[in-house]
Amino acid sequence: MTRKIIIDCDPGHDDVMAILLALAHPEELEILGYTTVCGNQLVEKVTANLAKVLTAIGKSGKIAMGCDTPLHYAPDPQPGAHGESGLDGPILPEATVKVLDKHAIEFMRDVLENSDKKITIVALGPLTNIAVFLKTYPHLRSKIECITLMGGSIYSGNILPKAEFNIYEDPHAAKIVFESSIPIIMSGLEVCNEASILHTEIDALQGNGKVQDLAHDILQFFSKYNRDRNKDRSPLFDVVPIMHLLHPEYFTSQKFPVHIEVAGEYTRGMTVVDLREPRDPNTLNAEVLTHCDRDKFMKVFLDALIQLDKN
Ligand code: RIB
Ligand code: CA
């Protein structure tokens, strides 16, 4: 059965990899549209990046630009990880794919109001758009199948010792989402670190087709951080929620109570995953992915790039 999805994202190198995987599986995932959010870079930049990438691979798509700032904190773009453009590395064409003259929140409203089936929201950036949507159109919450998101962690951190960037950027939005009672699937740093691509797998992409060359150029820039630290692999963070939709059998998961720390010099954006037992079933607000089979994961991902080059 085909699942209808909206991809909320901040492209972002790994966001693009997730979108490529989804585009290679139209039978399983029907992408109703893309909403963009301030995160890796300012929302104008990440929106332009998405339009250029779809143009580069010859795909169309509905793009609606979203919130340009977190609910309470200032934007905190990450040029160190994604460059000044938010997608440094590849040479991208001028976009011919147009951005809708409609805010992401209104686009989400229109899609959910007009759908006869529930929609899955795939959140690959800060949760600002989704929080504003839930607050603005609470009657449409029942049209959401689930929110599967890349964000948070069980015990580690990247932007802070115990906080992951997407949650850190807008913890107030994350709190709204995690307390919404909508089913949440959380792909945190631990499972994302297991879903890492070998730098030799990146190098082998070059010269095999337009899409694989684009992925190569994007991942060469994205993996520099880890290559410079003598690591042999880089996490494909945002690919994880999409891969889980396609192959849940590649993962293990467990439901936990998950609370969001909205402020704190060292803990802003921490996902407090309560591991204590016994647990009250009424408090289990998130299914947390814990492990994945990296080799099966990576084969499907690399095959997806090959498939897109065949199309
Ligand atoms: O912490 C990783 C997340 O932050 C990913 O979504 C990446 O794209 C960045 O947004
Ligand atoms: Ca992202």
Side-chain angles (χ1 to χ4, degrees), residues 10-15 39-40 82 123-126 150-151 158-159 164-166 189 222 237-238:
D10 60 338
H13 296 68
D14 54 323
D15 302 70
N40 286 321
H82 298 276
L124 306 180
M150 191 279 133
N158 53 15
I159 190 79
E164 178 280 325
F165 174 74
N166 286 338
L189 291 178
F222 190 58
F237 302 102
D238 290 341

Side-chain angles (χ1 to χ4, degrees), residues 4 9 15 33 36 38 65 74 88 94 108 117 124 158 160 172-173 200 202 213 231 236 243 252 302:
K4 294 177 182 287
C9 54
D15 302 70
T36 57
C38 170
M65 187 162 73
D88 281 17
E94 282 308 306
M108 286 179 174
K117 290 171 65 179
L124 306 180
N158 53 15
L160 287 178
H172 300 90
T200 52
I202 296 173
D213 278 340
K231 296 185 178 177
L236 291 179
M243 188 65 75
T252 59
L302 295 172

Side-chain angles (χ1 to χ4, degrees), residues 95-308:
T96 55
V97 173
K98 299 300 180 196
V99 176
L100 298 176
D101 184 17
K102 181 180 290 186
H103 193 279
I105 309 308
E106 308 317 316
F107 177 75
M108 286 179 174
R109 177 205 58 198
D110 293 350
V111 168
L112 267 66
E113 278 183 347
N114 296 321
S115 177
D116 57 355
K117 290 171 65 179
K118 288 192 172 188
I119 307 291
T120 293
I121 295 179
V122 181
L124 306 180
L127 296 170
T128 315
N129 286 340
I130 300 162
V132 172
F133 174 77
L134 295 178
K135 285 294 185 185
T136 309
Y137 299 107
H139 68 289
L140 290 175
R141 292 182 177 209
S142 60
K143 295 295 284 295
I144 300 173
E145 178 76 32
C146 75
I147 298 169
T148 184
L149 61 91
M150 191 279 133
S153 59
I154 300 172
Y155 51 81
S156 57
N158 53 15
I159 190 79
L160 287 178
K162 296 291 184 184
E164 178 280 325
F165 174 74
N166 286 338
I167 309 299
Y168 160 89
E169 173 80 354
D170 197 343
H172 300 90
K175 182 176 178 65
I176 291 168
V177 172
F178 275 78
E179 294 179 355
S180 68
S181 301
I182 294 169
I184 288 172
I185 303 169
M186 177 180 129
S187 300
L189 291 178
E190 291 77 19
V191 71
C192 290
N193 286 331
E194 290 190 8
S196 285
I197 188 168
L198 299 175
H199 296 155
T200 52
E201 290 169 329
I202 296 173
D203 299 341
L205 288 169
Q206 194 167 36
N208 299 314
K210 180 175 62 174
V211 174
Q212 290 172 82
D213 278 340
L214 175 65
H216 169 269
D217 296 349
I218 288 173
L219 290 172
Q220 280 295 346
F221 180 93
F222 190 58
S223 61
K224 187 177 183 304
Y225 178 88
N226 285 306
R227 291 175 194 258
D228 289 350
R229 289 157 179 80
N230 298 316
K231 296 185 178 177
D232 70 344
R233 64 194 68 198
S234 294
L236 291 179
F237 302 102
D238 290 341
V239 178
V240 176
I242 297 286
M243 188 65 75
H244 180 257
L245 291 179
L246 295 170
H247 290 285
E249 72 277 11
Y250 291 177
F251 297 84
T252 59
S253 66
Q254 194 168 344
K255 289 191 176 183
F256 291 110
V258 179
H259 310 286
I260 308 298
E261 181 68 286
V262 296
E265 185 178 356
Y266 297 103
T267 56
R268 165 187 157 179
M270 179 178 179
T271 47
V272 180
V273 181
D274 191 344
L275 303 174
R276 295 172 299 174
E277 292 179 310
R279 283 186 275 274
D280 173 357
N282 297 315
T283 64
L284 309 179
N285 61 325
E287 177 184 357
V288 179
L289 303 191
T290 47
H291 295 290
C292 79
D293 182 319
R294 190 216 82 92
D295 290 346
K296 290 180 179 176
F297 180 113
M298 212 49 65
K299 182 177 187 321
V300 169
F301 172 70
L302 295 172
D303 284 352
L305 303 180
I306 294 168
Q307 183 59 43
L308 290 172

